[in-house]
């Protein structure tokens, strides 16, 4: 009876009829089922990604639309060389992190430099696609002339255990750029991104702490990524500190030209990208480019960069701040830079 009542209730339920203990049971389970579905979908999204199938590899950076530049090859000093010439090389520099730090902004700004050629998409070679081999990796890179720098960015490298050893075996001279941002804001930004893809996600606080307001859940990637000192420790087993540049995600917003100046110095390049390239777009609330590369028109980053953040209770923020404080201090000591998050 209960079974048939349940069936009838189920069929009727979709037409708005209510009745029987089965229906009541189902009604009480419905929120649980929904939460389980949302969590399941979220867990699937949060799993480390796979290398895309061979046909869907990232496309090499598009050819520049601006006039060709002078080659630096000794055989042809000062002579312009057409687009498409040069060789595909391994990147001499990588933006290795951190997710939601401002890595896309940095890459887009650096692309304005005539001596930088950057891959537009994230190849995920040193975390997800390593078995494809170095020759495959190099085939993704844009062509460069002698003296130009090949650059790619994949923010998950910073938190991938094997990435430093793998990058070191490609070249121990690789320059490593890490954009870091207050780990609490970074975690909220990460959560905002997941929420935009998984509506109905439990609250930020529910995910950040175990059992309500219990201990901080460091197994949650949004929290774990912000333990910068721990991740850096792993990198320093393979690379000396001098191989790194730490870019402040906060200053990248408040003074993009200043941070870009430091990056160009680190890469051994002339300071070509300067404050004359930026303007503050009040609607976007972020610095934008006066002229996009190749188009000559103003350009801001897309909607997924500079998203509004969900409101997180102050108590949750304060607890997380306190949690990160010792890790931040350690990170300041390790890098010799105070990022001012505390
Ligand atoms: P929010 O969307 O939380 O504001 P990433 O590119 O590494 O995913 O980082 C995204 C973050 O870059 C954004 O996080 C935003 O704060 C930051 N950012 C820095 N400079 C920016 C700019 N000029 N335009 C848009 N976002 C910028």
């Amino acid at each position: 009876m209960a079974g048939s009542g349940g069936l009838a209730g189920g069929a009727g339920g979709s037409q708005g009829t209510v009745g029987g203990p089965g229906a009541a049971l189902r009604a009480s389970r419905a929120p649980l089922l929904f939460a389980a579905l949302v969590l399941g979908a979220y867990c699937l999204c949060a799993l480390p990604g796979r290398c895309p199938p061979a046909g869907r590899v990232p496309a090499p950076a598009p050819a520049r639309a601006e006039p060709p530049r002078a080659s630096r090859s000794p055989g042809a000093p000062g002579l312009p060389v057409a687009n498409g010439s040069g060789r595909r090389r391994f990147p001499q520099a990588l933006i290795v992190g951190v997710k939601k730090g401002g890595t896309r902004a940095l890459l887009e700004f650096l692309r304005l430099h005539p001596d930088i050629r950057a891959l537009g998409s994230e190849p995920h070679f040193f975390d997800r696609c390593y078995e494809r081999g170095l020759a495959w990796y190099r085939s993704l890179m844009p062509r460069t002339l002698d003296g130009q720098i090949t650059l790619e960015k994949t923010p998950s490298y910073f938190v991938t255990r094997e990435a430093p050893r793998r990058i070191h075996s490609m070249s121990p001279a690789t320059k490593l750029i890490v954009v870091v941002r207050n780990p609490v804001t970074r975690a909220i930004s990460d959560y905002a991104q997941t929420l935009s893809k998984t509506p109905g996600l439990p609250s930020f606080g529910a995910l950040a702490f175990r059992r309500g307001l219990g201990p901080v859940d460091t197994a949650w990637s949004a929290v774990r990524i912000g333990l910068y000192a721990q991740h850096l420790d792993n990198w320093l087993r393979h690379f000396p500190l001098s191989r790194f540049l730490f870019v402040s995600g906060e200053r990248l917003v408040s003074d993009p030209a200043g941070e870009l100046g430091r990056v160009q110095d680190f890469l051994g390049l002339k300071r070509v990208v300067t404050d004359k390239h930026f303007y503050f777009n009040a609607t976007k609330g972020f610095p934008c480019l006066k002229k996009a590369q190749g188009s000559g028109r103003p350009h801001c980053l897309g909607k997924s960069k500079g998203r509004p953040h969900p409101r997180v209770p102050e108590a949750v923020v304060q607890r997380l701040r306190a949690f990160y404080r010792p890790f931040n201090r350690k990170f300041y000591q390790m890098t010799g830079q105070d990022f001012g998050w505390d």
Side-chain angles (χ1 to χ4, degrees):
M1 255 329 266
S4 67
L7 204 64
S14 65
Q15 291 155 34
T17 352
V18 186
L25 198 62
R26 272 195 311 283
S28 68
R29 278 186 190 156
L32 275 175
L33 268 172
F34 177 70
L37 274 174
V38 168
L39 264 176
Y42 168 64
C43 290
L44 276 178
C45 291
L47 280 177
R50 295 225 189 111
C51 189
R56 294 179 50 214
V57 296
R64 284 173 179 276
E66 70 226 36
R69 291 183 301 275
S71 164
R72 300 216 177 167
S73 63
L79 281 182
V81 174
N83 285 333
S85 58
R87 290 195 291 125
R88 298 190 196 280
R89 301 166 218 247
F90 292 119
Q92 298 97 322
L94 296 172
I95 300 174
V96 294
V98 299
K99 183 184 179 195
K100 306 320 292 174
T103 55
R104 175 57 57 185
L106 180 62
L107 188 87
E108 292 305 311
F109 299 164
L110 280 174
R111 288 178 104 173
L112 294 177
H113 199 294
D115 289 337
I116 292 184
R117 299 297 318 277
L119 192 60
S121 49
E122 298 175 5
H124 283 278
F125 176 64
F126 295 105
D127 59 342
R128 298 179 192 166
C129 299
Y130 197 59
E131 62 294 344
R132 295 249 165 105
L134 279 163
W136 174 82
Y137 182 51
R138 189 170 52 191
S139 76
L140 302 178
M141 296 301 148
R143 293 176 186 278
T144 50
L145 304 172
D146 291 346
Q148 286 184 318
I149 290 179
T150 305
L151 178 74
E152 70 111 327
K153 80 124 177 155
T154 304
S156 45
Y157 291 163
F158 192 61
V159 297
T160 300
R161 233 189 140 68
E162 307 77 28
R165 180 179 47 76
R166 290 172 174 178
I167 293 169
H168 189 270
S169 79
M170 173 185 73
S171 168
T174 310
K175 294 187 177 184
L176 304 161
I177 301 172
V178 196
V179 190
V180 285
R181 179 182 186 187
N182 184 328
V184 180
T185 332
R186 198 220 66 81
I188 297 172
S189 168
D190 204 336
Y191 172 79
Q193 173 164 300
T194 314
L195 190 62
S196 72
K197 296 177 190 161
T198 324
L201 202 62
S203 71
F204 177 85
L207 292 168
F209 305 111
R210 280 186 251 143
R211 300 187 305 278
L213 268 185
V216 172
D217 190 352
T218 50
W220 187 32
S221 69
V223 167
R224 194 171 43 82
I225 291 172
L227 301 172
Y228 303 143
Q230 287 191 0
H231 304 301
L232 182 58
D233 214 33
N234 181 39
W235 283 83
L236 292 177
R237 288 174 217 270
H238 302 271
F239 287 96
L241 192 66
S242 57
R243 213 64 85 225
F244 289 85
L245 181 75
F246 300 94
V247 172
S248 156
E250 285 79 16
R251 281 202 300 271
L252 194 59
V253 175
S254 63
D255 177 18
E259 284 306 279
L260 264 284
R262 294 180 60 236
V263 181
Q264 292 166 94
D265 292 350
F266 175 68
L267 294 176
L269 297 174
K270 209 171 141 214
R271 287 192 174 202
V272 171
V273 185
T274 61
D275 49 6
K276 70 175 189 296
H277 288 92
F278 300 99
Y279 75 100
F280 185 80
N281 183 307
T283 315
K284 173 93 181 159
F286 282 91
C288 296
L289 293 173
K290 283 185 189 160
K291 285 183 186 175
Q293 189 208 5
S295 97
R297 301 229 315 262
H299 174 68
C300 295
L301 298 194
K303 274 201 197 111
S304 66
K305 306 294 172 184
R307 280 195 187 92
H309 289 182
R311 214 194 69 75
V312 175
E314 191 53 31
V316 169
V317 171
Q318 288 311 331
R319 272 206 64 204
L320 260 192
R321 261 178 185 268
F323 164 78
Y324 278 120
R325 198 163 293 126
F327 296 98
N328 290 346
R329 297 256 161 89
K330 175 94 192 296
F331 185 65
Y332 300 166
Q333 263 174 21
M334 292 168 88
T335 57
Q337 267 174 268
D338 183 338
F339 290 90
W341 301 319
D342 303 294

